[in-house]
């Protein structure tokens, strides 16, 4: 190791150790010698030294055709001129254009050749390639005269560099082998008494401390905050979504979703084993929901099946935040009606096949407006307002089906980057069979829409596999270095 080699050398040699020579002689990287030297702390007296060194420049040592291998351009040119002389055109055919240009000028300057009209001929019988000789000496690290150095620098055949090294000799604290200084005083040192002979490493007050780690926001949380700001700017209030566990009643029945609907199957929904059933529901409201499912009412004919309370009692992981919307609208119906604008952004769970862009859970974003006399036009208008704040202004709407909304629309936006229409959400007007059993006035309508948080986040952050965004395989480096989220036209 470099420290033992240096201290061992000083033990056998009273003289001064030159770090550069030492590195070459012992085959140790000079930078490692420098680092050890800085930590000798009096074991060795260190004198910093700096000297000019030269490295072959690009023109001096680049491939086989250059000065160090083929000789200087002037010598190469001189050697192809025949005794009887040669025309400039013929000479240019015999050497590389660069060799001709540089070599002819230098050979004329050296008075090695002369040009009389269309004939170039030799003026001397023999030439020495002093340029090549100097480069060979420099390459070997040998001393070369100042004049020659300046000439080579002017021709860019060598580059000047400042070499920094050290001269080292024995210092007052010199020992042939330094005891490894301890960096901590441990319980074992104190108990065993080893502390008495312990050599503690000096505290380096100049050492830079570790950069303090700060917290980092996940991209999903950044996009969620941006979307929350959009809703708040539009005058929406956030709904309380702090219950992942929900009853089938609020998640499905209250939304007029029939108990035979495939989405209510355990292949699509996570039902809880314990507690498997809810322990309280508003009984008068439950009765109205039962009736509207079985025999309709409010102008509806219902589904005509035997609605089962035990089905409604089953606990599950909510499959959409529309379950929260149904709770909020029921609560709103329990007092004199006032129009409301609500939103929610939180996790929902679906027992579906996972793939590159879908997990068994995602964050649903939902907005709703509850007021008297709302129409589909109001829904379309608020969708244009909302999505324009996300930078999406070219929208299209496609008729769709949801059990709890009629009419329903899928929402599409033209994505300039992808050059195609992208589905960006779903929407609709909650059905009377959902709103009227709650007790809302019969002229009150609710327009609502939903989208996911993951899809926009993956597009905005250029992530194409959802496992790189969410889950136990996420690269924490991405969490630390992902850029801020700037959404559309806010
Ligand atoms: O988010 C979706 N797509 C989307 C959204 C934004 C976006 O922004 C980019 C920067 C440009 C890009 C894409 N979708 C909804 C559409 C599809 O991704 C779809 O394949 C996946 N959908 C999820 C459900 O599928 C398991 C997204 C999720 C979704 C779908 C419907 C609703 C909520 C989330 C709803 C609703 C609703 C309807 C009526 C009343 C109340 C709520």
């Amino acid at each position: 190791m470099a420290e033992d080699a240096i201290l061992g050398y000083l033990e056998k040699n009273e003289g001064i150790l030159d770090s550069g020579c030492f590195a070459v002689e012992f085959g140790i990287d000079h930078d490692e010698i420098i680092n050890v030297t800085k930590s000798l702390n009096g074991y060795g007296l260190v004198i910093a030294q700096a000297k000019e060194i030269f490295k072959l420049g690009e023109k001096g040592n680049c491939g086989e055709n250059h000065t160090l291998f083929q000789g200087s351009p002037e010598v190469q040119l001189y050697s192809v001129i025949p005794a009887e002389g040669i025309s400039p055109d013929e000479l240019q055919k015999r050497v590389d254009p660069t060799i001709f240009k540089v070599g002819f000028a230098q050979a004329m300057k050296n008075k090695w050749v002369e040009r009389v009209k269309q004939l170039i001929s030799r003026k001397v019988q023999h030439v020495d390639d002093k340029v090549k000789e100097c480069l060979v000496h420099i390459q070997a690290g040998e001393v070369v005269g100042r004049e020659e150095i300046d000439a080579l620098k002017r021709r860019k055949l060598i580059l000047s560099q400042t070499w920094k090294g050290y001269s080292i000799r024995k210092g007052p604290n010199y020992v042939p082998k330094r005891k490894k200084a301890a960096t901590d005083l441990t319980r074992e040192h104190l108990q065993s008494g080893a502390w008495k002979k312990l050599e503690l490493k000096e505290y380096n007050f100049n050492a830079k401390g570790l950069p303090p780690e700060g917290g980092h926001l996940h991209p999903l949380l950044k996009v969620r905050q941006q979307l929350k700001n959009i809703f708040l700017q539009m005058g929406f209030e956030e709904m309380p979504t702090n219950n992942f566990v929900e009853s089938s009643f609020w998640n499905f029945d209250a939304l007029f979703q029939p108990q035979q609907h495939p989405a209510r199957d355990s292949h699509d929904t996570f039902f809880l084993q314990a507690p498997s059933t809810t322990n309280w529901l508003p009984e008068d409201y439950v009765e109205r929901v039962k009736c509207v499912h079985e025999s309709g009412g409010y102008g509806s004919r219902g589904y005509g099946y035997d609605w089962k309370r035990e089905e409604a009692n089953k606990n599950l992981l909510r499959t959409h935040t529309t379950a929260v919307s149904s709770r909020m609208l029921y609560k709103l119906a329990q007092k004199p009606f006032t129009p409301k604008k609500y939103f929610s952004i939180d996790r929902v769970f679906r027992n579906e096949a996972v793939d590159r862009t879908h997990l068994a859970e995602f964050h649903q974003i939902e907005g709703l407006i509850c007021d008297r006399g709302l129409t589909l036009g109001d829904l379309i208008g608020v969708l244009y307002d909302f999505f324009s704040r996300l930078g999406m202004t070219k929208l299209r709407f496609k008729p769709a089906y949801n059990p709890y909304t009629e009419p329903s629309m899928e929402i599409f936006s033209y994505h300039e980057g992808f050059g195609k229409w992208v589905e960006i959400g779903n929407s609709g007007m909650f059905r009377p069979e959902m709103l009227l059993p709650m007790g809302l006035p019969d002229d009150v309508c609710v327009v609502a829409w939903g989208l996911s948080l993951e899809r926009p986040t993956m597009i905005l952050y250029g992530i194409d596999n959802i496992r790189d965004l969410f889950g136990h395989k996420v690269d924490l480096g991405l969490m630390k270095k992902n850029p801020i989220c700037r959404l559309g036209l806010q």
Side-chain angles (χ1 to χ4, degrees):
M1 144 186 173
E3 178 177 312
D4 293 346
I6 290 171
L7 295 176
Y9 178 88
L10 293 174
E11 183 183 24
K12 300 185 185 73
N13 302 275
E14 285 308 316
I16 284 185
L17 174 159
D18 174 275
S19 62
C21 304
F22 186 82
V24 172
E25 190 178 332
F26 286 78
I28 299 174
D29 181 74
H30 187 249
D31 289 343
E32 188 180 346
I33 304 282
I34 298 298
N35 290 336
V36 167
T37 306
K38 287 174 183 171
S39 69
L40 282 180
N41 293 346
Y43 288 88
L45 286 182
V46 177
I47 302 132
Q49 54 170 313
K51 57 187 175 188
E52 186 183 27
I53 59 168
F54 303 99
K55 296 286 184 193
L56 297 191
E58 185 186 333
K59 292 182 180 174
N61 174 22
C62 168
E64 296 297 315
N65 301 323
H66 282 255
T67 304
L68 195 64
F69 299 94
Q70 303 295 334
S72 61
E74 53 272 26
V75 168
Q76 290 187 53
L77 179 113
Y78 177 86
S79 61
V80 301
I81 298 174
E84 65 277 14
I86 186 170
S87 72
D89 292 349
E90 185 54 31
L91 181 54
Q92 288 196 55
K93 289 177 190 164
R94 296 193 186 187
V95 291
D96 175 281
T98 309
I99 297 293
F100 176 80
K101 183 174 177 230
V102 176
F104 182 62
Q106 195 61 43
M108 292 288 279
K109 187 177 174 184
N110 294 354
K111 298 188 179 3
W112 290 356
V113 300
E114 66 181 350
R115 174 173 176 173
V116 178
K117 294 185 180 165
Q118 286 309 309
L119 188 67
I120 294 174
S121 52
R122 291 181 177 184
K123 284 184 75 175
V124 293
Q125 293 308 313
H126 172 75
V127 295
D128 293 326
D129 196 345
K130 291 194 179 339
V131 167
K132 177 177 176 179
E133 284 167 24
C134 284
L135 291 182
V136 169
H137 289 316
I138 286 168
Q139 181 82 334
E142 294 158 7
V143 179
V144 173
R146 188 75 243 174
E147 206 174 298
E148 287 81 359
I149 290 287
D150 291 343
L152 293 174
K153 280 167 74 174
R154 274 197 302 278
R155 294 180 64 177
K156 293 185 173 41
L157 290 172
I158 59 171
L159 299 172
S160 166
Q161 290 179 346
T162 302
W163 176 87
K164 289 179 181 167
Y166 292 94
S167 300
I168 311 160
R169 60 188 173 81
K170 277 182 186 169
N173 306 334
Y174 174 78
V175 287
K177 186 161 178 58
R178 187 161 59 159
K179 279 186 285 186
K180 186 97 178 88
T183 52
D184 288 307
L185 180 62
T186 65
R187 185 164 169 268
E188 288 70 25
H189 288 144
L190 297 173
Q191 282 183 330
S192 66
W195 62 271
K196 296 169 188 162
K197 298 184 184 124
L198 197 59
E199 169 111 11
L200 281 169
K201 186 175 182 186
E202 279 185 38
Y203 200 87
N204 176 3
F205 290 96
N206 300 317
K208 286 184 181 167
L210 286 173
E213 271 288 351
H216 303 278
L217 275 177
H218 190 284
L220 278 175
L221 299 182
K222 292 180 179 176
V223 178
R224 183 181 71 173
Q225 188 57 50
Q226 296 294 311
L227 282 152
K228 184 171 178 175
N229 294 344
I230 287 173
F231 276 114
L232 294 174
Q233 287 157 13
M234 293 175 68
F236 284 67
E237 294 170 52
E238 187 162 17
M239 293 186 268
T241 57
N242 54 327
N243 64 302
F244 290 173
V245 174
E246 184 57 275
S247 67
S248 297
F249 178 77
W250 291 109
N251 198 80
F252 294 122
D253 297 282
L255 300 176
F256 195 55
Q257 188 146 350
Q259 294 186 336
Q260 308 88 331
H261 192 283
R264 298 186 64 157
D265 185 287
S266 61
H267 293 301
D268 286 38
T269 298
F270 291 111
F271 289 97
L272 268 67
Q273 280 182 344
S276 60
T277 59
T278 188
N279 53 21
W280 185 86
L281 292 173
E283 292 306 332
D284 59 327
Y285 176 43
V286 171
E287 199 47 42
R288 294 195 297 272
V289 168
K290 171 184 168 69
C291 288
V292 78
H293 278 246
E294 289 185 340
S295 51
Y298 317 100
S300 166
R301 62 180 185 181
Y303 291 116
Y305 71 94
D306 290 337
W307 184 86
K308 294 185 176 53
R309 175 64 185 260
E310 53 275 16
E311 196 56 42
N313 285 342
K314 287 179 182 175
N315 278 340
L316 47 73
L317 291 180
R318 67 177 174 222
T319 62
H320 47 197
T321 49
T322 318
V324 181
S325 305
S326 66
R327 283 179 175 268
M328 291 301 285
L329 290 168
Y330 173 74
K331 191 176 168 188
L332 186 64
Q334 304 322 299
K335 54 193 176 193
F337 178 71
T338 53
K340 285 285 182 183
K341 296 191 287 191
Y342 288 133
F343 78 94
S344 61
I345 306 176
D346 211 331
R347 292 164 78 166
V348 297
F349 308 86
R350 297 192 186 179
N351 189 2
E352 288 175 341
V354 295
D355 60 24
R356 199 172 45 79
T357 56
H358 291 84
L359 294 174
E361 61 181 274
F362 65 93
H363 290 74
Q364 180 175 339
I365 300 160
E366 182 157 328
L368 70 87
I369 303 175
C370 177
D371 201 349
R372 299 181 192 279
L374 289 180
T375 67
L376 191 63
D378 296 310
L379 173 56
I380 291 174
V382 74
L383 291 176
Y384 269 105
D385 184 1
F386 175 78
F387 283 105
S388 68
R389 296 166 190 255
L390 282 165
M392 292 180 262
T393 52
K394 280 168 76 175
L395 302 183
R396 274 183 179 168
F397 304 98
K398 182 180 169 188
Y401 173 75
N402 292 318
Y404 39 87
T405 53
E406 184 57 36
S408 308
M409 303 184 301
E410 284 173 349
I411 312 159
F412 291 81
S413 164
Y414 188 75
H415 195 286
E416 299 296 344
F418 299 160
K420 65 178 184 176
W421 288 91
V422 171
E423 183 186 351
I424 57 172
N426 195 301
S427 64
M429 301 187 71
F430 285 138
R431 300 178 63 144
E433 294 94 333
M434 169 182 165
L435 301 179
L436 299 179
M438 291 180 173
L440 287 166
D442 57 11
D443 63 339
V444 166
C445 300
V446 179
V447 297
W449 72 98
L451 64 154
S452 77
L453 188 63
E454 282 76 7
R455 293 299 295 138
T457 303
M458 288 173 73
I459 291 175
L460 289 168
Y461 282 89
I463 296 169
D464 64 9
N465 188 320
I466 196 160
R467 285 166 190 73
D468 296 330
L469 177 70
F470 193 74
H472 65 288
K473 293 185 177 174
V474 159
D475 162 22
L476 292 181
L478 170 77
M479 301 304 119
K480 294 180 180 178
K481 64 178 189 296
N482 64 77
I484 62 170
C485 169
R486 293 285 303 154
L487 284 180
L489 310 174
Q490 289 178 69

